[in-house]
Amino acid sequence: MAKSPETEHPLKAFGWAARDTSGTFSPFKFSRRETGEYDVQFKVLYCGVCHSDLHMVKNEWGFTQYPIVPGHEIVGVVTEVGSKVKKVKVGDKVGVGCLVGSCRKCDQCANDLENYCPKQILTYSFPDVDGTLTYGGYSDLMVATEHFIIRWPENLPLDAGAPLLCAGITTYSPLRHFGLDKPGLNVGVVGLGGLGHVAVKFAKAFGTKVTVISTSLSKKEEAISKLGADHFLVSRDPEQMQTAAGTLDGIIDTVSATHPIVPLLSLLKPHGKLVLVGAPEKPLELPAFPLIQGRKIVAGSAIGGIKETQEMVDFAAKHNILPDIELIPIDYINTAMERLLKADVKYRFVIDIANSLKSE
Protein backbone atom coordinates (compact mmCIF):
# COMPACT_ATOMS: atom_id res chain seq x y z
CA MET A 1 0.00 0.00 0.00
CA ALA A 2 1.26 3.49 -0.88
CA LYS A 3 2.50 5.52 2.05
CA SER A 4 0.68 8.68 3.05
CA PRO A 5 2.20 12.10 2.23
CA GLU A 6 3.02 12.42 5.93
CA THR A 7 5.10 9.24 6.13
CA GLU A 8 6.57 8.73 2.64
CA HIS A 9 9.72 10.71 3.50
CA PRO A 10 11.77 11.17 6.72
CA LEU A 11 11.50 14.97 7.15
CA LYS A 12 8.30 16.30 8.69
CA ALA A 13 6.84 19.22 6.72
CA PHE A 14 3.81 21.44 7.04
CA GLY A 15 1.94 23.63 4.59
CA TRP A 16 -1.44 24.47 3.15
CA ALA A 17 -2.95 22.27 0.46
CA ALA A 18 -5.99 22.04 -1.79
CA ARG A 19 -7.48 18.59 -1.91
CA ASP A 20 -9.94 18.79 -4.83
CA THR A 21 -11.07 20.99 -7.74
CA SER A 22 -12.84 23.42 -5.39
CA GLY A 23 -9.33 24.79 -4.85
CA THR A 24 -10.03 25.43 -1.17
CA PHE A 25 -6.93 25.42 1.01
CA SER A 26 -6.48 24.07 4.51
CA PRO A 27 -3.50 23.06 6.70
CA PHE A 28 -1.66 19.94 5.55
CA LYS A 29 0.97 17.70 7.12
CA PHE A 30 3.34 15.97 4.73
CA SER A 31 7.03 15.06 4.45
CA ARG A 32 10.17 15.88 2.49
CA ARG A 33 13.11 13.70 1.52
CA GLU A 34 16.31 13.76 3.56
CA THR A 35 19.04 16.12 2.34
CA GLY A 36 21.03 14.00 -0.14
CA GLU A 37 24.68 14.61 -1.03
CA TYR A 38 23.76 17.06 -3.82
CA ASP A 39 20.72 18.52 -2.02
CA VAL A 40 20.06 21.83 -0.32
CA GLN A 41 17.50 22.12 2.48
CA PHE A 42 16.13 25.55 3.29
CA LYS A 43 13.61 27.21 5.57
CA VAL A 44 10.96 28.91 3.44
CA LEU A 45 10.50 32.59 4.36
CA TYR A 46 8.29 33.86 1.52
CA CYS A 47 6.42 32.40 -1.43
CA GLY A 48 4.74 34.26 -4.29
CA VAL A 49 1.24 33.40 -5.46
CA CYS A 50 1.28 32.87 -9.22
CA HIS A 51 -1.73 32.79 -11.56
CA SER A 52 -0.66 29.22 -12.44
CA ASP A 53 -1.32 28.26 -8.81
CA LEU A 54 -4.95 29.26 -9.34
CA HIS A 55 -5.24 27.25 -12.59
CA MET A 56 -3.55 24.26 -10.98
CA VAL A 57 -5.56 24.06 -7.75
CA LYS A 58 -8.76 23.99 -9.83
CA ASN A 59 -7.25 21.49 -12.32
CA GLU A 60 -8.00 23.84 -15.22
CA TRP A 61 -5.06 22.47 -17.22
CA GLY A 62 -6.05 18.86 -16.59
CA PHE A 63 -2.92 17.40 -14.98
CA THR A 64 -3.22 18.41 -11.30
CA GLN A 65 -2.63 15.67 -8.73
CA TYR A 66 -4.17 16.12 -5.29
CA PRO A 67 -3.43 16.98 -2.56
CA ILE A 68 -1.60 19.95 -4.05
CA VAL A 69 0.73 22.32 -2.20
CA PRO A 70 1.39 25.04 -4.80
CA GLY A 71 4.09 27.71 -4.86
CA HIS A 72 7.00 28.11 -7.27
CA GLU A 73 8.30 31.54 -6.28
CA ILE A 74 10.07 30.33 -3.15
CA VAL A 75 12.78 32.09 -1.15
CA GLY A 76 14.42 31.29 2.14
CA VAL A 77 17.59 30.55 4.09
CA VAL A 78 19.72 27.41 3.80
CA THR A 79 19.61 25.17 6.89
CA GLU A 80 21.49 22.10 5.60
CA VAL A 81 23.60 21.14 2.58
CA GLY A 82 24.68 17.75 1.25
CA SER A 83 28.33 16.67 1.42
CA LYS A 84 28.98 17.42 -2.29
CA VAL A 85 27.18 20.77 -2.52
CA LYS A 86 29.43 23.65 -3.66
CA LYS A 87 26.98 26.33 -4.79
CA VAL A 88 25.69 27.51 -1.39
CA LYS A 89 26.32 27.08 2.34
CA VAL A 90 24.22 27.10 5.51
CA GLY A 91 22.89 30.61 6.17
CA ASP A 92 22.83 31.66 2.50
CA LYS A 93 19.69 33.18 1.00
CA VAL A 94 18.34 31.11 -1.88
CA GLY A 95 15.37 30.68 -4.18
CA VAL A 96 13.60 27.92 -6.10
CA GLY A 97 11.43 28.66 -9.12
CA CYS A 98 9.22 26.49 -11.31
CA LEU A 99 11.62 23.55 -11.73
CA VAL A 100 13.22 21.11 -9.32
CA GLY A 101 14.47 18.53 -11.80
CA SER A 102 15.34 17.59 -15.39
CA CYS A 103 17.22 14.76 -17.11
CA ARG A 104 20.50 16.80 -17.26
CA LYS A 105 21.54 14.79 -20.36
CA CYS A 106 19.44 15.94 -23.34
CA ASP A 107 20.32 18.72 -25.81
CA GLN A 108 18.06 21.17 -23.99
CA CYS A 109 19.72 20.51 -20.63
CA ALA A 110 23.18 20.68 -22.24
CA ASN A 111 22.27 24.16 -23.49
CA ASP A 112 21.03 25.36 -20.08
CA LEU A 113 17.40 25.08 -21.19
CA GLU A 114 16.11 22.70 -18.51
CA ASN A 115 12.74 24.42 -18.92
CA TYR A 116 12.36 22.64 -22.30
CA CYS A 117 13.63 19.23 -21.13
CA PRO A 118 10.99 16.56 -21.89
CA LYS A 119 11.71 15.02 -18.47
CA GLN A 120 11.52 18.23 -16.45
CA ILE A 121 10.14 17.95 -12.92
CA LEU A 122 7.89 20.80 -11.85
CA THR A 123 8.15 22.21 -8.34
CA TYR A 124 4.68 21.06 -7.34
CA SER A 125 1.97 18.51 -8.22
CA PHE A 126 4.34 16.52 -10.41
CA PRO A 127 5.87 13.03 -10.11
CA ASP A 128 9.40 13.19 -8.72
CA VAL A 129 12.12 10.67 -9.68
CA ASP A 130 11.06 8.36 -6.83
CA GLY A 131 7.40 8.45 -7.93
CA THR A 132 6.20 10.64 -5.04
CA LEU A 133 4.50 13.98 -5.71
CA THR A 134 6.40 17.24 -5.53
CA TYR A 135 5.07 19.86 -3.12
CA GLY A 136 5.70 23.58 -3.50
CA GLY A 137 6.43 26.60 -1.38
CA TYR A 138 3.20 27.14 0.55
CA SER A 139 5.12 25.21 3.20
CA ASP A 140 7.76 25.52 5.90
CA LEU A 141 10.75 23.85 4.27
CA MET A 142 12.11 22.77 0.90
CA VAL A 143 14.68 20.22 -0.21
CA ALA A 144 15.99 20.66 -3.75
CA THR A 145 18.92 19.51 -5.85
CA GLU A 146 21.76 22.05 -5.79
CA HIS A 147 21.56 22.59 -9.57
CA PHE A 148 18.03 24.01 -9.28
CA ILE A 149 18.85 26.39 -6.43
CA ILE A 150 19.16 30.10 -7.27
CA ARG A 151 21.71 32.11 -5.28
CA TRP A 152 20.00 35.22 -3.91
CA PRO A 153 21.77 38.60 -4.27
CA GLU A 154 22.42 40.29 -0.93
CA ASN A 155 20.80 43.59 -1.96
CA LEU A 156 17.58 42.04 -3.31
CA PRO A 157 14.68 41.91 -0.82
CA LEU A 158 13.40 38.37 -0.33
CA ASP A 159 9.71 39.24 -0.05
CA ALA A 160 9.30 41.57 -3.03
CA GLY A 161 11.89 39.63 -5.04
CA ALA A 162 10.21 36.21 -4.73
CA PRO A 163 7.89 36.63 -7.78
CA LEU A 164 10.93 37.15 -10.02
CA LEU A 165 11.39 33.36 -9.88
CA CYS A 166 8.34 32.90 -12.12
CA ALA A 167 6.92 36.27 -13.24
CA GLY A 168 10.43 37.67 -13.68
CA ILE A 169 12.01 34.88 -15.72
CA THR A 170 8.81 34.32 -17.75
CA THR A 171 9.11 37.85 -19.16
CA TYR A 172 12.91 38.33 -19.08
CA SER A 173 13.61 35.19 -21.13
CA PRO A 174 11.48 36.05 -24.22
CA LEU A 175 12.69 39.66 -24.22
CA ARG A 176 16.24 38.31 -24.39
CA HIS A 177 15.67 35.35 -26.71
CA PHE A 178 13.64 37.23 -29.32
CA GLY A 179 16.02 40.21 -29.34
CA LEU A 180 13.55 42.61 -27.76
CA ASP A 181 16.22 43.80 -25.33
CA LYS A 182 17.89 46.43 -27.55
CA PRO A 183 17.72 50.15 -26.68
CA GLY A 184 15.32 52.09 -28.91
CA LEU A 185 13.10 49.16 -29.93
CA ASN A 186 9.34 49.53 -29.52
CA VAL A 187 7.98 46.75 -27.32
CA GLY A 188 4.34 46.10 -26.43
CA VAL A 189 3.19 44.43 -23.22
CA VAL A 190 -0.34 43.02 -23.19
CA GLY A 191 -1.96 42.87 -19.75
CA LEU A 192 -0.83 44.72 -16.66
CA GLY A 193 -0.97 41.99 -14.04
CA GLY A 194 1.66 39.94 -12.21
CA LEU A 195 3.61 39.14 -15.39
CA GLY A 196 2.83 42.32 -17.30
CA HIS A 197 4.05 44.83 -14.73
CA VAL A 198 7.39 42.98 -14.44
CA ALA A 199 7.69 42.81 -18.24
CA VAL A 200 7.36 46.61 -18.35
CA LYS A 201 10.13 47.01 -15.76
CA PHE A 202 12.55 44.68 -17.58
CA ALA A 203 11.78 46.15 -21.02
CA LYS A 204 12.44 49.65 -19.67
CA ALA A 205 15.70 48.51 -18.04
CA PHE A 206 16.82 47.23 -21.47
CA GLY A 207 16.26 50.72 -22.86
CA THR A 208 13.24 49.98 -25.05
CA LYS A 209 10.17 52.16 -25.55
CA VAL A 210 7.25 50.37 -23.92
CA THR A 211 3.59 50.42 -24.91
CA VAL A 212 1.15 48.83 -22.45
CA ILE A 213 -1.90 47.30 -24.16
CA SER A 214 -4.90 46.75 -21.90
CA THR A 215 -8.68 46.42 -22.08
CA SER A 216 -8.94 48.83 -19.16
CA LEU A 217 -8.35 52.59 -19.44
CA SER A 218 -8.22 52.72 -15.63
CA LYS A 219 -4.69 51.25 -15.75
CA LYS A 220 -3.24 54.07 -17.86
CA GLU A 221 -2.13 56.30 -14.99
CA GLU A 222 -0.46 53.40 -13.20
CA ALA A 223 1.27 52.14 -16.36
CA ILE A 224 2.77 55.48 -17.32
CA SER A 225 3.31 57.31 -14.02
CA LYS A 226 4.27 54.42 -11.75
CA LEU A 227 5.76 51.77 -14.03
CA GLY A 228 7.33 54.13 -16.55
CA ALA A 229 5.63 52.92 -19.74
CA ASP A 230 5.94 55.33 -22.68
CA HIS A 231 2.52 54.72 -24.25
CA PHE A 232 -0.81 53.14 -23.35
CA LEU A 233 -3.32 51.57 -25.73
CA VAL A 234 -6.88 50.52 -24.94
CA SER A 235 -7.27 47.37 -27.02
CA ARG A 236 -11.06 47.83 -27.22
CA ASP A 237 -10.67 51.26 -28.85
CA PRO A 238 -10.54 50.73 -32.66
CA GLU A 239 -9.31 54.26 -33.28
CA GLN A 240 -6.35 53.92 -30.90
CA MET A 241 -5.49 50.50 -32.33
CA GLN A 242 -5.65 51.82 -35.89
CA THR A 243 -3.39 54.77 -35.07
CA ALA A 244 -0.81 52.42 -33.50
CA ALA A 245 -0.87 49.87 -36.36
CA GLY A 246 2.56 48.78 -37.54
CA THR A 247 4.51 50.54 -34.76
CA LEU A 248 5.83 47.72 -32.56
CA ASP A 249 8.90 45.52 -33.04
CA GLY A 250 7.59 42.89 -30.67
CA ILE A 251 4.85 42.17 -28.14
CA ILE A 252 4.91 40.11 -24.95
CA ASP A 253 1.36 38.87 -24.36
CA THR A 254 0.92 38.03 -20.67
CA VAL A 255 -2.86 37.53 -20.63
CA SER A 256 -4.11 34.12 -19.48
CA ALA A 257 -7.79 34.79 -20.21
CA THR A 258 -9.18 33.99 -23.66
CA HIS A 259 -8.70 37.02 -25.92
CA PRO A 260 -8.36 37.83 -29.64
CA ILE A 261 -4.79 38.07 -30.96
CA VAL A 262 -5.44 39.27 -34.53
CA PRO A 263 -5.77 42.91 -33.34
CA LEU A 264 -2.38 42.53 -31.65
CA LEU A 265 -0.77 41.30 -34.87
CA SER A 266 -1.90 44.50 -36.58
CA LEU A 267 0.23 46.51 -34.12
CA LEU A 268 3.42 44.77 -35.26
CA LYS A 269 5.82 46.10 -37.87
CA PRO A 270 6.73 43.66 -40.67
CA HIS A 271 8.93 40.87 -39.22
CA GLY A 272 7.49 41.62 -35.77
CA LYS A 273 7.04 38.97 -33.09
CA LEU A 274 4.07 38.28 -30.84
CA VAL A 275 5.26 36.12 -27.93
CA LEU A 276 2.68 34.39 -25.74
CA VAL A 277 3.59 33.78 -22.11
CA GLY A 278 0.03 33.62 -20.69
CA ALA A 279 -1.79 30.32 -21.15
CA PRO A 280 -5.50 30.71 -21.97
CA GLU A 281 -7.57 27.55 -21.57
CA LYS A 282 -9.16 27.72 -25.04
CA PRO A 283 -7.34 27.56 -28.40
CA LEU A 284 -6.52 30.86 -30.09
CA GLU A 285 -8.05 31.93 -33.39
CA LEU A 286 -5.19 32.58 -35.79
CA PRO A 287 -5.86 33.30 -39.47
CA ALA A 288 -2.91 32.93 -41.85
CA PHE A 289 -3.11 36.25 -43.72
CA PRO A 290 -2.08 38.60 -40.89
CA LEU A 291 1.10 36.51 -40.52
CA ILE A 292 1.87 36.10 -44.20
CA GLN A 293 1.38 39.74 -45.11
CA GLY A 294 4.15 41.00 -42.83
CA ARG A 295 6.29 37.90 -42.25
CA LYS A 296 5.15 38.05 -38.64
CA ILE A 297 5.75 35.44 -35.98
CA VAL A 298 3.53 34.12 -33.19
CA ALA A 299 5.69 32.34 -30.63
CA GLY A 300 5.55 31.05 -27.10
CA SER A 301 7.98 31.04 -24.20
CA ALA A 302 8.03 29.19 -20.89
CA ILE A 303 10.02 30.44 -17.91
CA GLY A 304 13.78 30.02 -18.47
CA GLY A 305 16.67 27.71 -17.67
CA ILE A 306 18.51 27.83 -14.35
CA LYS A 307 21.52 29.73 -15.72
CA GLU A 308 19.25 32.39 -17.25
CA THR A 309 17.15 32.57 -14.08
CA GLN A 310 20.29 33.33 -12.08
CA GLU A 311 21.28 35.95 -14.68
CA MET A 312 17.79 37.51 -14.43
CA VAL A 313 17.87 37.70 -10.62
CA ASP A 314 21.33 39.29 -10.74
CA PHE A 315 20.15 41.76 -13.40
CA ALA A 316 17.12 42.65 -11.26
CA ALA A 317 19.37 43.27 -8.25
CA LYS A 318 21.72 45.47 -10.31
CA HIS A 319 18.89 47.54 -11.82
CA ASN A 320 16.66 47.56 -8.72
CA ILE A 321 13.79 45.76 -10.49
CA LEU A 322 11.22 44.49 -8.02
CA PRO A 323 7.65 43.28 -8.50
CA ASP A 324 4.94 45.28 -6.70
CA ILE A 325 3.57 43.00 -4.01
CA GLU A 326 0.92 42.65 -1.33
CA LEU A 327 2.24 40.63 1.60
CA ILE A 328 -0.32 38.25 3.11
CA PRO A 329 -0.49 35.63 5.88
CA ILE A 330 -1.01 32.02 4.82
CA ASP A 331 -4.52 31.87 6.30
CA TYR A 332 -5.57 34.59 3.84
CA ILE A 333 -4.80 32.34 0.86
CA ASN A 334 -8.41 31.39 0.05
CA THR A 335 -9.43 35.06 -0.06
CA ALA A 336 -6.30 35.88 -2.07
CA MET A 337 -7.26 33.28 -4.70
CA GLU A 338 -10.76 34.79 -5.00
CA ARG A 339 -9.21 38.23 -5.47
CA LEU A 340 -6.66 36.88 -7.97
CA LEU A 341 -9.52 35.47 -10.03
CA LYS A 342 -10.94 39.00 -10.25
CA ALA A 343 -7.48 40.52 -10.93
CA ASP A 344 -7.87 42.41 -7.65
CA VAL A 345 -4.19 42.65 -6.72
CA LYS A 346 -1.37 45.05 -7.55
CA TYR A 347 0.34 43.04 -8.72
CA ARG A 348 1.44 39.91 -6.90
CA PHE A 349 0.47 38.33 -3.61
CA VAL A 350 3.41 37.04 -1.57
CA ILE A 351 2.81 34.79 1.43
CA ASP A 352 4.75 35.65 4.57
CA ILE A 353 5.49 32.02 5.39
CA ALA A 354 7.99 32.66 8.17
CA ASN A 355 5.65 34.80 10.26
CA SER A 356 2.29 33.17 9.56
CA LEU A 357 2.69 29.43 8.90
CA LYS A 358 2.30 27.66 12.22
CA SER A 359 2.01 23.90 12.44
CA GLU A 360 -0.96 22.70 14.46
Side-chain angles (χ1 to χ4, degrees), residues 13-17 25 28 30 32 42-50 53 68-76 95-100 122-125 134-144 162 165 328 330 333 350-354 356-357:
F14 181 71
W16 278 51
F25 287 90
F28 176 63
F30 65 108
R32 300 269 191 205
F42 67 94
K43 174 182 165 66
V44 178
L45 298 179
Y46 301 99
C47 184
V49 178
C50 177
D53 300 349
I68 174 175
V69 176
H72 58 205
E73 300 176 341
I74 315 163
V75 290
V96 163
C98 304
L99 297 175
V100 291
L122 301 180
T123 302
Y124 65 80
S125 196
T134 58
Y135 295 112
Y138 295 14
S139 61
D140 57 355
L141 69 99
M142 285 289 294
V143 179
L165 293 166
I328 61 167
I330 187 77
I333 189 62
V350 172
I351 307 168
D352 185 352
I353 297 287
S356 68
L357 180 65

Side-chain angles (χ1 to χ4, degrees), residues 268-288:
L268 291 171
K269 296 176 184 176
H271 331 297
K273 301 150 189 159
L274 170 62
V275 188
L276 309 177
V277 294
E281 282 177 72
K282 294 183 179 144
L284 300 164
E285 196 171 304
L286 182 60

Side-chain angles (χ1 to χ4, degrees), residues 265-322:
L265 292 171
S266 72
L267 299 173
L268 291 171
K269 296 176 184 176
H271 331 297
K273 301 150 189 159
L274 170 62
V275 188
L276 309 177
V277 294
E281 282 177 72
K282 294 183 179 144
L284 300 164
E285 196 171 304
L286 182 60
F289 272 111
L291 298 180
I292 294 168
Q293 286 167 335
R295 193 162 68 177
K296 295 174 185 178
I297 292 170
V298 176
S301 182
I303 52 169
I306 300 304
K307 183 181 177 185
E308 189 175 43
T309 303
Q310 185 69 61
E311 176 193 300
M312 177 275 307
V313 165
D314 294 340
F315 181 91
K318 183 180 175 184
H319 294 272
N320 198 27
I321 295 169
L322 285 170

Side-chain angles (χ1 to χ4, degrees), residues 8-19:
E8 65 191 0
H9 297 297
L11 294 178
K12 284 187 179 351
F14 181 71
W16 278 51
R19 291 164 172 80

Side-chain angles (χ1 to χ4, degrees), residues 219-229:
K219 292 191 174 177
K220 182 174 182 177
E221 176 68 22
E222 185 97 9
I224 290 174
S225 303
K226 189 155 190 280
L227 299 174

Side-chain angles (χ1 to χ4, degrees), residues 109-121:
C109 287
N111 287 305
D112 298 307
L113 293 167
E114 302 90 345
N115 48 318
Y116 299 118
C117 171
K119 294 184 177 171
Q120 63 178 233
I121 298 169

Side-chain angles (χ1 to χ4, degrees), residues 72-115:
H72 58 205
E73 300 176 341
I74 315 163
V75 290
V77 175
V78 176
T79 52
E80 188 179 18
V81 295
S83 58
K84 296 190 174 171
V85 169
K86 295 178 179 158
K87 198 174 189 178
V88 293
K89 63 187 186 304
V90 171
D92 285 357
K93 295 172 185 169
V94 293
V96 163
C98 304
L99 297 175
V100 291
S102 70
C103 79
R104 313 279 296 282
K105 295 174 190 155
C106 69
D107 288 349
Q108 301 307 316
C109 287
N111 287 305
D112 298 307
L113 293 167
E114 302 90 345
N115 48 318

